């Protein structure tokens, strides 16, 4: 089944929005849990002065159909349609520029024009920045 979960304290299993994760973060022990993607477009997640999250970071994936979904950290059981809609919305929220091309299988985006070969990221010595107005890479001064 499709599922949405959040972090719990590694030892106490208390949900991250109820108390700080003093022994470190962990995922709820849901049978067959496979986290596939996270709601990263809303990160970083704000915390209270004591370290308690002010809202739950959301992780999405699948678990065994017989899994206990009433345990702490399970936020929601989703239909396939709800899961797909949430994933599509998250992927769109991560789009850096309107012209960029999306890859929903990896939840990534890339420019419609390759970065120039002399770019620092390609081993060159020129720093480029994306310019949406020209839909191209422009060198930085």
């Amino acid at each position: 089944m499709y599922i949405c979960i959040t972090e719990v304290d590694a030892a106490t299993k208390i949900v991250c929005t109820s108390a700080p994760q003093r022994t470190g973060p962990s995922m709820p022990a849901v049978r067959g849990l496979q986290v596939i993607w996270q709601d990263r477009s809303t990160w970083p997640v704000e915390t209270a002065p004591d370290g308690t999250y002010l809202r739950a970071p959301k992780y999405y994936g699948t678990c065994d159909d017989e899994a206990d979904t009433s345990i702490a950290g399970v936020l929601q059981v989703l239909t396939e349609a709800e899961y797909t809609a949430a994933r599509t919305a998250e992927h769109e929220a991560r789009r850096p520029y309107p012209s960029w091309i999306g890859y929903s299988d990896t939840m990534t985006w890339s420019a419609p024009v390759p970065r120039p070969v002399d770019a620092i990221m390609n081993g060159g010595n020129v720093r480029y920045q994306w310019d949406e107005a020209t839909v191209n890479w422009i060198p930085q001064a």
Side-chain angles (χ1 to χ4, degrees), residues 19-138:
Q21 299 173 80
R22 290 193 170 89
T23 63
S26 182
M27 295 295 156
V30 178
R31 190 168 134 201
L33 176 64
Q34 299 232 345
V35 174
I36 299 170
W37 59 277
Q38 311 84 18
D39 188 3
R40 288 189 301 154
S41 66
T42 61
W43 289 2
V45 176
E46 292 182 60
T47 58
D50 71 350
T52 301
Y53 285 170
L54 297 178
R55 76 177 159 71
K58 294 179 179 178
Y59 300 83
Y60 294 82
T62 58
C63 65
D64 291 353
D65 287 341
E66 306 81 31
D68 179 4
T69 57
S70 65
I71 62 175
V74 174
L75 299 177
Q76 185 179 9
V77 174
L78 304 141
T79 65
E80 185 174 0
E82 291 169 326
Y83 175 87
T84 301
R87 185 176 169 116
T88 300
E90 172 62 15
H91 187 227
E92 279 298 321
R94 294 182 191 181
R95 181 192 294 253
Y97 299 98
S99 67
W100 283 36
I101 300 163
Y103 303 97
S104 59
D105 57 330
T106 59
M107 302 281 288
T108 59
W109 295 91
S110 67
V113 176
R115 189 173 274 127
V117 294
D118 62 348
I120 289 174
M121 290 190 71
N122 292 337
N125 60 358
V126 179
R127 195 174 298 277
Y128 286 90
Q129 181 173 339
W130 182 254
D131 181 55
E132 187 63 17
T134 62
V135 188
N136 210 339
W137 296 100
I138 57 171

Side-chain angles (χ1 to χ4, degrees), residues 3-16:
I3 192 168
C4 176
I5 61 169
T6 194
E7 299 171 7
V8 296
D9 182 88
T12 66
K13 304 302 179 198
I14 295 173
V15 177
C16 62

